[in-house]
């Protein structure tokens, strides 16, 4: 009787042990090969742990074309609620006026309302020498020389008084801003007010104008020898040894290796993707509408058939 009882207890313990150690839903298999269901479960768990990479639909040039949508990199000036509301207002403004792609160095024609003008509108043609600030405070400066007099007008990009912005020549320059054109010869800032637009083929890259300007003798608007300019040809001709030594003393060539300083000066790529994902659908629809209108303007329906 004692042997039968011990055998019964041993059998119950073994069955209880294997029942707890065997996971639910697993097929018991007494072969040296793994069970088919177990292999399938392993494969599904491995594939579920590895996230599938999704190709980004945001074009890489958005950070340059729509740079005013990126917030100010200074943390003390950041406000997420204000930035989101400003982006909504900017999209609403772009639905009412076509704001084309342009860069520093592009030649623009801006038509704005002017209550003191004869037709209540004023049109100014000039080269863009500066783009700065972000959000609704984004602005750009146009410069032109008219009757031997340099004229500059600063426009707010989202100013409701702007009626039309035309790009007459789309191009880039070697420097981030062209403020040194104030001290250059007038020929580099003179543009015809009746200039016809130069249309680039669709999909063509934006050309880079490698023109190097010639500066007038001093006095200058700024100490250009300290700015490491690429678009000036004769800056050494007007810089003596004393000014050159001072420029070397205040130079900071090591800043290009300071990764943390560069990080603080810019918006992280992850945050840029989040911002452009939020506004991509609206911007994309506006781009399609602008391309359709552009095709309609280029096609002229004949009045009579041959």
């Amino acid at each position: 009787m004692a042997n039968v009882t011990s055998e019964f207890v041993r059998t119950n313990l073994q069955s209880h042990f294997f029942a707890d150690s065997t996971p639910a839903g697993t097929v018991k298999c007494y072969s040296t090969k793994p069970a088919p269901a177990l292999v399938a479960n392993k494969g599904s768990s491995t594939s579920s742990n590895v996230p599938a990479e999704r190709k980004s639909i945001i074009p890489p040039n958005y950070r340059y074309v729509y740079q005013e949508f990126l917030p100010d990199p200074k943390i003390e000036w950041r406000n997420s609620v204000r930035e989101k509301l400003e982006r909504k207002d900017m999209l609403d403004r772009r639905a009412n006026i076509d704001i084309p792609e342009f860069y520093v160095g592009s030649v623009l024609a801006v038509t704005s309302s002017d209550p003191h003008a004869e037709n209540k509108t004023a049109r100014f043609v000039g080269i863009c020498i500066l783009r700065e600030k972000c959000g609704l405070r984004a602005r750009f400066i146009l410069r032109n020389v008219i009757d031997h007099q340099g004229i500059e007008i600063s426009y707010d990009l989202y100013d409701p008084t702007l009626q039309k912005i035309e790009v007459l020549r789309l191009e880039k320059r070697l420097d981030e801003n062209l403020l040194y054109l104030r001290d250059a010869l007038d020929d580099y800032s003179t543009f015809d007010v009746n200039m016809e637009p130069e249309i680039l083929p669709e999909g063509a890259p934006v050309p880079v104008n490698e023109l190097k300007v010639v500066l007038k003798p001093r006095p200058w608007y700024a100490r250009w020898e300290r700015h490491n300019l690429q678009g000036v040809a004769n800056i050494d001709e007007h810089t003596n040894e004393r000014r050159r030594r001072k420029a070397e003393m205040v130079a900071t060539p090591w800043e290009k290796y300071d990764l943390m300083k560069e990080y603080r000066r810019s918006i992280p790529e992850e945050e840029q993707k989040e911002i452009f994902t939020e506004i991509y659908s609206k911007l994309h629809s506006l781009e399609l509408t602008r391309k359709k209108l552009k095709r309609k303007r280029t096609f002229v329906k004949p009045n009579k058939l041959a």
Side-chain angles (χ1 to χ4, degrees):
M1 185 66 180
N3 294 335
V4 176
T5 306
S6 62
E7 187 70 24
F8 178 75
V9 171
R10 190 185 305 111
T11 305
N12 288 341
L13 288 174
Q14 289 179 356
S15 62
H16 179 71
F17 173 78
F18 287 113
D20 293 342
S21 61
T22 306
T26 304
V27 179
K28 290 184 179 181
C29 185
Y30 299 97
S31 174
T32 56
K33 298 181 180 180
L38 187 61
V39 174
N41 290 338
K42 287 184 178 179
S44 61
S45 62
T46 306
S47 61
S48 61
N49 293 336
V50 179
E53 291 189 9
R54 296 181 60 186
K55 187 176 180 181
S56 176
I57 60 174
I58 309 300
N61 64 335
Y62 263 38
R63 58 179 298 185
Y64 306 107
V65 180
Y66 304 105
Q67 57 184 353
E68 69 273 5
F69 282 93
L70 296 178
D72 196 289
K74 291 187 178 181
I75 301 178
E76 60 269 21
W77 292 355
R78 296 291 302 275
N79 187 310
S80 58
V81 177
R82 175 181 56 80
E83 293 165 3
K84 193 175 185 65
L85 293 176
E86 283 190 353
R87 286 195 292 269
K88 184 179 182 302
D89 290 343
M90 292 156 68
L91 291 174
D92 293 342
R93 177 60 180 157
R94 281 181 173 268
N96 296 323
I97 181 176
D98 179 20
I99 301 180
E101 172 187 3
F102 69 95
Y103 304 90
V104 171
S106 302
V107 181
L108 309 178
V110 178
T111 304
S112 60
S113 61
D114 186 0
H116 306 290
E118 182 179 358
N119 297 324
K120 303 300 181 182
T121 58
R123 185 175 185 267
F124 184 76
V125 176
I127 181 173
C128 179
I129 63 174
L130 180 67
R131 284 193 69 173
E132 63 176 0
K133 299 184 180 181
C134 57
L136 293 175
R137 299 171 304 283
R139 73 184 188 109
F140 61 97
I141 298 178
L142 298 185
R143 175 179 174 83
N144 199 352
V145 176
I146 301 175
D147 294 336
H148 307 286
Q149 180 65 43
I151 300 175
E152 294 182 3
I153 299 181
S154 173
Y155 294 100
D156 290 334
L157 189 59
Y158 292 93
D159 188 353
T161 61
L162 297 185
Q163 298 182 1
K164 191 176 183 182
I165 301 177
E166 305 171 78
V167 178
L168 304 181
R169 181 186 298 164
L170 181 63
E171 64 181 12
K172 299 179 181 179
R173 290 295 183 96
L174 299 176
D175 300 301
E176 294 182 355
N177 63 73
L178 303 180
L179 294 178
Y180 53 79
L181 288 180
R182 297 170 176 175
D183 298 318
L185 299 178
D186 293 345
D187 298 339
Y188 298 103
S189 302
T190 304
F191 300 92
D192 186 8
V193 294
N194 298 318
M195 178 180 176
E196 294 293 332
E198 302 174 5
I199 301 176
L200 290 176
E202 187 173 350
V206 180
V208 179
N209 191 345
E210 300 182 357
L211 175 68
K212 294 193 175 184
V213 305
V214 178
L215 297 181
K216 300 176 184 177
R218 294 177 185 269
W220 290 341
Y221 169 76
R223 298 168 179 171
W224 300 122
E225 70 275 3
R226 303 185 181 184
H227 290 259
N228 192 23
L229 300 175
Q230 305 296 323
V232 179
N234 65 333
I235 197 167
D236 291 334
E237 297 179 6
H238 305 288
T239 306
N240 53 27
E241 188 63 27
R242 181 178 63 86
R243 295 180 184 273
R244 193 174 292 108
R245 285 199 307 269
K246 286 188 175 182
E248 293 176 356
M249 289 175 59
V250 299
T252 55
W254 58 84
E255 283 191 357
K256 61 182 179 181
Y257 304 107
D258 193 344
L259 299 182
M260 285 305 300
K261 191 166 188 176
E262 184 65 25
Y263 179 80
R264 296 189 189 99
R265 285 177 177 175
S266 58
I267 302 297
E269 185 177 357
E270 297 80 10
E271 191 171 351
Q272 292 185 24
K273 288 183 179 179
E274 182 181 352
I275 292 173
F276 288 130
T277 303
E278 174 190 339
I279 63 177
Y280 171 74
S281 59
K282 188 68 176 292
L283 289 177
H284 185 60
S285 62
L286 292 175
E287 287 178 358
L288 295 178
T289 304
R290 183 166 64 245
K291 289 180 180 179
K292 289 180 182 178
L293 293 176
K294 185 177 179 181
R295 294 192 192 102
K296 288 182 179 180
R297 287 196 297 265
T298 55
F299 175 75
V300 180
K301 186 176 180 180
N303 295 327
K304 296 182 180 179
L305 297 178

